[in-house]
Amino acid sequence: MFEPGDTDLLTLTRYVLEMQRLNPSASGDLTLLISAIQLGCKFVESCVRKANLINLVGVAGAINVQGEDQKKLDILSNDIFVNALNASGKVSSMVSEEIDKLIHVNGHNKGKYCVTFDPLDGSSNIDAGVNVGTIFGIFLEKPDAETPEESYCVPGREIIVAGYCMYGSSCNLVITLGKNRVDGFTLDPSLGEFILTHRNMRIPSLGKIYSINEGNTQYWDEATKQYIDSLKYPDPASEKKPYAARYIGSMVADVHRTILYGGVFAYPADTKSLKGKLRTLYEGFPMAFLVEQAGGKATTGAKRVLDIVPSEIHDRCPIFLGGAEDIENVETYFKKYQ
Ligand code: AHG
Ligand code: MN
Ligand code: MN
Ligand code: MN
């Protein structure tokens, strides 16, 4: 579908327009909404790039609804996306990790989409210069919803667009509009454009890397313990090699590597975090949708992540995501030990 030549740059804007052309009933609203998100990502990228230079690192002195110390960049990136989404005129309401309540869009700016976003994921890493990112998901507003929250407390499989933008050695935006297609774009700062660089991303079915915070081992349930041990100490008779351990602590970076290289990323439920730590609407669902559209799977251990119905907008969920065979292996352990 997309065969860009050297001078025939396939920008994200052109990509989304081509996806719109494939959908005869498309109004163009989603194209404009994704353009607004793209602008937000470029703006945050420029702030992250110079954070140390303009005293944008460190804490802001406030605590968010999650009980976390908000970083200055958490708040700045939140404001950037709230304004960009508001101005797009295509959003009905939005949920941000950094804002307790649902954010309503009123008046002439009101549109039909519900957007969930983690404006700055991995922000505990920002002062150390480690990759951070933005995660977003787009849902259609439920017209018959009695309360705006009802549009969010739906099965995750109703998500229509998901993506992340990783601010690292380069700025990579990865997006899916469904149709079993995930594509990756790299920001060319000289053009200010995201250029298609990772066409039709597919996650290897069986990998060689596991990514989990082993500092929580004492809190894990038996299924998680037995599964992770099976990767670290494979049966000698099987001739399998142990998996390598990689854990960056920014979900965007750990998931990006998992989609590219394969393996498993996990933040399970444990005795310390009974529903896991990651937030369903703006971490779990978008990443689960991306991984599934790239040919992988995402499970809580007991069920498909995208079959969860959140109980409230900052609900959390356990998650194991990765290649199809790797995740089927996880499910086998949960059937055996849960
Ligand atoms: P955020 O910075 O948006 O609050 O998210 C942090 C999350 C996620 O990025 C990462 O996978 C996880 O926290 C790491 O948690 P631990 O430090 O407990 O391993
Ligand atoms: Mn946070
Ligand atoms: Mn996050
Ligand atoms: Mn965050």
Side-chain angles (χ1 to χ4, degrees), residues 203-209 227 231 243 258 261-265 297 299 320-333:
I203 188 169
S205 182
L206 197 62
K208 302 183 176 70
I209 298 169
Y227 171 66
L231 304 182
Y243 275 40
T258 303
Y261 297 173
V264 182
F265 167 78
K297 289 188 159 194
T299 181
F320 292 78
L321 60 79
E325 277 180 75
D326 275 311
I327 300 305
E328 281 151 19
N329 199 8
V330 172
E331 291 166 333
T332 308
Y333 276 82

Side-chain angles (χ1 to χ4, degrees), residues 33 78-97 99-106 109-110 113-117 137 139 141 148-149 151-152 281-282 313-314:
L33 174 53
N78 172 74
D79 296 351
I80 287 170
F81 280 102
V82 169
N83 289 325
L85 292 169
N86 246 324
S88 73
K90 303 304 172 195
V91 175
S92 164
S93 64
M94 47 186 116
V95 168
S96 165
E97 177 202 349
I99 306 294
D100 309 12
K101 300 258 183 292
L102 199 70
I103 304 164
H104 300 280
V105 180
N106 300 309
N109 264 349
K110 186 172 169 61
Y113 291 106
C114 296
V115 183
T116 66
F117 62 98
F139 298 78
E141 181 187 40
E149 284 73 10
S151 289
Y152 295 89
L281 275 177
Y282 38 82
I313 60 173
H314 294 295

